[in-house]
Amino acid sequence: MHPKDKNKNHRLPSGLLRLRGAAAELLERVADNRFRSEAARTRVYREAEDAFRSKQDDASGVYGLWQGEFWGKWMIGAVRYCEYSHDAGLREFIRKGVHTLLTLQEPSGYLGTYRDPMNLRVADPAAAEPLIGWTCNWNWNIWCRKYTLWGLLEAWRLLEEPEILEAAERLAAHLIRSLHEHRIRLGATGTFAGIPSGSILKPMVLLYRATGRQEFLDFAREIADDWDRSDDLCPNLIANARSDRFVHTWYPEPKNWAKAYEMLSCFDGLLELGRITGEPELLEAAIGFHALLKRGEYNPLFSVGFNDIFAGAAFQLNAITEPCDVIHWMRLCHELFLETGDTTYLDDFEAAFYNPFLAAVCRNGAWGARGVRSHGRHLFAFEQAGCRYNHCCVNNIPRGFLNLAETAITTCGNTVSVNLYPECDAAVPLPDGGTLKLAIDGDYPVPGQIRIRTETGPAPAGFLRLRIPGWAENGSLETARNRQTGTGRWFELPIPRGRSELKLHFHCTPRLREHRPPPDMAEWYHLRWHEPGMEQLFRTEPGSTLTYGPLLLARSRLLGNSEAEMFGPPLPPGSSCVLRPLSTERVRHAFEAEFHSGGQSLCTKVCDYASAGNVIQENQRLFSVFF
């Protein structure tokens, strides 16, 4: 797992790929609302910055808030969008913003939103429990500093100004010194068995990479070592990832420790640490963790967990998933593909992006869901931790689009890999000093034809690999010289000379998956379904879901489906389906579906799950993925 290993896949330098089409249009609407508009700068950003002045996160005295995460999340998304878009105005706003924040750093190095830097656990757990319904403590002090540190490092990478890196060093050094002087184990801080605090691992490794200071690497190793213990103290992430036990069975009461978003973030950090140390055990732990999630937590929406908790989501019929979970599941899959070249991780990434991630983004780009559901309506929250314009999921959403851009095309030695097929333009540097220009067009992710135009110099060196998706029953590649078919994982050919056009065609038929409810559902699952009055939608009878290529399909009020259609009885076992495209502007992809079982048939309209309910309409049942 060493960065010099030529067998590893590598991301393109930022800004060399630009999305087009529907995903790009939605990204631009999100960027307007979160980064570029006057409201984004005077309301969204200012509110996140003001949290460092008001320091309200420990003001209640009972349990902590988490306003301190919003600035870092905003900064990470803004920097990456700025690199992607080459937006000079945003770059200048970022520069002014980060320098204003530096003026709020205390002489000790502390830069945070808690009044007391040493308030690392809730003061009175007994008082906190009735307020929030958890038996664990509720403190986000180090979690918030994790995002501040990461945001500073992103800003430094963009601006290359030494004072920003110095501020990040002082912030990290103060935290390490405070913990060591008071003999406080990082895993004993915060909440959820210290998992949120432990996720500071990734920015600590990034800080070591930027500075070379051994104390930051030593602290990162200290975090990892605490996750591979002989006494199995919760959460023991590395040791448990090597086991064959479902994540939710590692310890009792997963609702108190198995926080999905934060745990995924920890494994992201382990992969980054492994790139530095070269320890294969860290990569193996991440691979094992992914495998356990696919077996025990992969939900019907192609994400992991049940409303941000690992609690056996794969065995639940009803599904709700938080966008933060989706984005970090995508991150895990992205990083594992880079390290292993295994395209099954790309299949998982693709299914997550085109289904639960896009479902979470409001079609006007102004906001996003707090949780996307399998049926009914998505869960939206318009106030969080005392903030009106910032929200944990909404602030993370820009990264999801940029993850698509950085995953779509990678390089491995002298090979250029086209991994995903969004409409885009890219300029890929070649080892011989030349450039391969690529333009991808088509109606992907709907199965069908994709056109790739290439342009190089007269004698390019290297190879071009084109992924055959795991959902494709077969595929074909047509070039100016020949046509080949395949059912493996890649088409591979020498990089074409000059200008060339390639045509890819992937074929599949609609697939029905039958889902059965568990023998019993704990009351906790009803509570995590969330929102008063929604329990009546909790499905208790079997249902089938329909996929077409990577798309999960649904029936939707936006497409004209009635409640009787959306929430009617299940299809008979063994049903089959035929799809015919429909033209509409109300959803992205629409079809007429004809189901057959024995001598009976059923006709109904269906659409992509992502646009079946991506609007804010309270008190309406909008969609269902079940048939």
Side-chain angles (χ1 to χ4, degrees), residues 62-63 66 122 124-138 191-192 253-257 309 523-525 527-528 530:
V62 177
Y63 69 98
W66 56 94
V122 69
D124 185 356
E129 184 177 346
L131 281 170
I132 59 176
W134 305 93
T135 57
C136 58
N137 292 333
W138 198 257
T191 184
F192 292 100
E253 296 292 331
K255 66 179 183 179
N256 292 328
W257 60 269
I309 296 292
E523 180 64 21
W524 181 74
Y525 282 99
L527 295 174
R528 292 295 289 178
H530 203 73

Side-chain angles (χ1 to χ4, degrees), residues 3 23 29 31 54 78 80 109 177 202 215 221 268 271 275 311 390 431 438 443 460 464 487 493 512-513 532 565 621:
R29 290 196 288 271
S54 61
R80 294 185 183 183
R177 184 172 64 251
K202 180 163 184 173
E215 65 179 301
R221 280 251 39 106
D268 194 7
L271 284 165
R275 291 191 175 107
N390 288 272
L438 290 162
D443 199 26
L464 180 63
T487 57
L493 66 158
L512 281 163
R513 303 177 300 163
E565 286 180 285
R621 301 177 178 186

